[in-house]
Amino acid sequence: MTNLTDKHRVLGILACSTNHHPPFAERAYYEQLTKVGKSLGVAIVVFSPRRIDWRTRQVHGYVYSPALKQWYAHTTALPSVIYDRCFYVSSAHYERYRPFVQKLRRDPQTELLGVPLKGKWQLAQLIRHSEQLSRYFPHTERYVNPGSARAFIQRYRALVAKPSAGSHGRGIVAVMHHKASGRYLIFGRTKENTPLSQTCDTLDQTLAWLHRFIGPNRYLLQPYLKLRTPNHLPFDIRILMQKDERHAWQTTGIAVRTGRLHSLTSNLHGGGRAVKFRPFLLQLPFEPHVLKRIEQDIRVIKEQLPPLIERKHGRLCELGIDVGIDVEGRVWLLEVNSKPGRQVFRQAGEREMYLAAIRRPVLYANALLKRRAFAAPPTTGARRVGS
């Protein structure tokens, strides 16, 4: 087994606790990271930020044995490099972890692979001031009360309301006026990520329903964009940008997620499926010059966005960038996620992209660990792998 006694050869993975065994999500991903780490002499330990003993600077976590194909509990020194994969299902859930995570982030003896993004509103403000990227970002406002939604509908005739800190398509709804019937249509996904469909007779009823649905949560309003194929399948494009061992941004992969017929989102957690990017793009009903411009716009986004966010926000390790293409061929920047998944590449049959998506975080972490080991004063009793 890779040496766990030298903190400069251990990558710590931060994960929220669950009731499963081992007590965290993404177990398959961490098992794959462990296998990659073993080939590089980097051990992987998964632990909750609430399971750090700051008096002894030890963590009570779990390690995976590829030979035995099982996880087991292990206590080890607090690693010097941390990969934050904490996912919060609600504001209350986040608040239970926030003081523990913040203490870890402030600790001078540790560093994160990347600092997680704060929320969609902060990102919107950052992009809004970018000369290169602002044209790709939909107009975005905070939901304040029914009056703010009323003004939005009167301006755009339809809107999308999305949680400021949501993920996997949960709680996203669209509201639009149906001319033929005069009624208002509401569709999307509940906060439990199940399909939602509702109609209201008047705008007042619609706004009252929306206000109850949002409740105390922070929501954003954006125009409803027609991001669908000619046969009414919603789709978006997932771009995974990651740093390599030279700390340089690389495009690890691009794939397309398609949703169910007439649904609002194309997220895989909501029943969508993944397909390869290039064949899908060529099937869209656009002239060659439009397709060329679409690819150029995507290139601008993936080249400009990661360094822009990093300059304003702080170090990043990887970004999942979701891009939409409307029925007129205009490219839109929809979402940016600093804790992206990578199953889209596996499901799309992009094996090399999928393997690279797993390998790159460990390569980047290994480079940081080597730098810290080189800078650290020599210690006794620590045996380094390969020495």
Side-chain angles (χ1 to χ4, degrees), residues 204-218:
D204 286 341
Q205 291 175 355
T206 304
L207 297 176
W209 182 96
L210 183 64
H211 190 66
R212 289 193 303 271
F213 179 80
I214 291 175
N217 303 295
R218 294 178 180 176

Side-chain angles (χ1 to χ4, degrees), residues 51-60 75-78 103 107 109:
R51 296 284 289 164
I52 303 173
D53 185 336
W54 286 100
R55 183 180 59 82
T56 62
R57 294 190 65 85
Q58 289 188 318
V59 298
H60 306 289
T75 299
T76 188
L78 177 63
K103 183 172 183 178
D107 181 51
Q109 297 183 45

Side-chain angles (χ1 to χ4, degrees), residues 204-236:
D204 286 341
Q205 291 175 355
T206 304
L207 297 176
W209 182 96
L210 183 64
H211 190 66
R212 289 193 303 271
F213 179 80
I214 291 175
N217 303 295
R218 294 178 180 176
Y219 261 65
L220 301 180
L221 302 177
Q222 292 181 336
Y224 174 78
L225 304 173
K226 297 178 181 178
L227 309 175
R228 60 174 185 254
T229 65
N231 56 345
H232 300 287
L233 289 178
F235 74 92
D236 64 16

Side-chain angles (χ1 to χ4, degrees), residues 11-30:
L11 170 62
I13 298 180
L14 215 56
C16 293
S17 298
T18 68
N19 294 324
H20 303 95
H21 180 78
F24 43 80
E26 294 195 304
R27 291 177 293 278
Y29 177 42
Y30 303 152

Side-chain angles (χ1 to χ4, degrees), residues 34-75:
T34 298
K35 294 174 184 177
V36 174
K38 185 177 181 181
S39 68
L40 298 171
V42 175
I44 304 289
V45 58
V46 184
F47 62 96
S48 164
R50 298 171 65 100
R51 296 284 289 164
I52 303 173
D53 185 336
W54 286 100
R55 183 180 59 82
T56 62
R57 294 190 65 85
Q58 289 188 318
V59 298
H60 306 289
Y62 289 81
V63 297
Y64 178 71
S65 169
L68 300 177
K69 296 184 178 180
Q70 68 180 28
W71 288 88
Y72 60 92
H74 188 85
T75 299

Side-chain angles (χ1 to χ4, degrees), residues 182-357:
R183 306 188 77 191
Y184 288 85
L185 309 180
I186 304 169
F187 62 97
R189 303 195 72 81
T190 67
K191 296 180 177 70
E192 292 73 36
N193 213 11
T194 58
L196 179 154
S197 181
Q198 177 91 14
T199 60
C200 295
D201 292 328
T202 67
L203 180 56
D204 286 341
Q205 291 175 355
T206 304
L207 297 176
W209 182 96
L210 183 64
H211 190 66
R212 289 193 303 271
F213 179 80
I214 291 175
N217 303 295
R218 294 178 180 176
Y219 261 65
L220 301 180
L221 302 177
Q222 292 181 336
Y224 174 78
L225 304 173
K226 297 178 181 178
L227 309 175
R228 60 174 185 254
T229 65
N231 56 345
H232 300 287
L233 289 178
F235 74 92
D236 64 16
I237 299 162
R238 164 55 64 93
I239 306 168
L240 180 60
M241 304 294 297
Q242 294 177 302
K243 283 186 178 175
D244 61 17
E245 61 271 32
R246 299 181 302 276
H247 301 200
W249 284 105
Q250 301 291 342
T251 305
T252 299
I254 306 180
V256 174
R257 301 178 299 186
T258 63
R260 294 178 177 177
L261 187 65
H262 298 296
S263 62
L264 177 61
T265 64
S266 53
N267 198 280
L268 299 182
H269 290 79
R273 67 186 188 95
V275 296
K276 294 184 178 181
F277 168 67
R278 187 70 183 169
F280 180 89
L281 182 64
L282 294 178
Q283 290 177 1
L284 296 177
F286 298 125
E287 296 294 328
H289 73 278
V290 177
L291 291 173
K292 184 176 180 180
R293 178 180 53 74
I294 288 171
E295 292 193 281
Q296 165 117 24
D297 288 340
I298 291 174
R299 189 178 307 115
V300 170
I301 289 172
K302 69 181 188 177
E303 290 178 356
Q304 296 287 334
L305 186 60
L308 169 69
I309 297 178
E310 200 163 39
R311 285 195 303 271
K312 303 292 185 178
H313 172 76
R315 176 194 286 168
L316 296 166
C317 163
E318 54 190 355
L319 285 175
I321 304 171
D322 295 339
V323 170
I325 303 173
D326 68 21
V327 294
E328 297 178 352
R330 183 169 178 180
V331 172
W332 296 96
L333 176 56
L334 304 176
E335 302 278 355
V336 184
N337 188 347
S338 57
K339 299 178 184 178
R342 50 222 80 215
Q343 286 297 322
V344 61
F345 304 115
R346 183 176 184 178
Q347 294 187 25
E350 298 284 14
R351 176 176 168 77
E352 293 305 315
M353 293 181 188
Y354 178 66
L355 294 177

Side-chain angles (χ1 to χ4, degrees), residues 4 7 9-15 30 33 42-47 59 62 76-85 104 111-113 365 369:
L4 278 158
K7 69 176 184 179
R9 300 307 302 152
V10 179
L11 170 62
I13 298 180
L14 215 56
Y30 303 152
L33 291 178
V42 175
I44 304 289
V45 58
V46 184
F47 62 96
V59 298
Y62 289 81
T76 188
L78 177 63
S80 59
V81 174
I82 308 291
Y83 185 20
D84 187 346
R85 295 294 293 182
L104 182 63
E111 62 181 318
L112 299 181
L113 287 188
L369 288 165

